[in-house]
Amino acid sequence: RVGRSTVFRSPRPPPCDAPLWGNGLAKNRQILYDGNGTMAFADWGSADLRRKEMDDWKLLDENLRGKGYTVETFPDRCAAAEWIENQIGGRTVGIGGSVTVRELGLFEKLSKHNTVYWHEKPPENMTAMETRQAASRADIYIASVNGISLQGEIVNMDYTGNRVSAISFGPREVY
């Protein structure tokens, strides 16, 4: 049975050095992830476990590249957000439901120089569903992944199907 999930919203974006609460952002043939090696875990504790974590990142990096993805690493969330902002200008951008996108402040950053459709902040003349449909037809679509295996297999679950359908069959570029 599928049900709605609870979203906890913070009053302001977390600091740059806070870990991302997702495995990353997927771009059509590109994965972005927090370069400090946290992978949504607070702290591994021992040096042996931290070494294993870095070995896992290297394996994931190799496997994603082997599948044709380009991998970018960033020292913190602000560097990742700035990189994405600098990649996209003068385009229509659709955003799927994503805590990572919210925490990076991408809607606000990208709205400065793009037309952005995100059902969490629909334009006044559109419903949330109309905004989801417009997002799926945008030049670029931004969505985070729910999970990723060390083999580079990406897993997504989607309540309404807008995110998975846009990633699979939609805009030419998907971040």
Side-chain angles (χ1 to χ4, degrees), residues 3 7 28 34 45 52 58 69 72 83 90 94-96 102 106-107 124 129 140 160-161 167 172:
V7 175
N28 189 9
D34 187 359
K52 173 158 180 10
K58 289 176 187 170
Y69 288 86
E72 299 286 342
W83 183 86
I95 299 176
R102 186 180 318 115
L106 290 180
F107 178 83
E124 290 183 25
M129 187 54 76
I140 296 171
T160 61
I167 291 169
R172 184 175 296 261

Side-chain angles (χ1 to χ4, degrees), residues 14-22 34 36 38-42 77 103:
C16 288
D17 59 353
L20 292 172
W21 285 105
D34 187 359
N36 67 13
T38 55
M39 252 176 65
F41 299 107
R77 69 180 51 244
E103 287 185 354

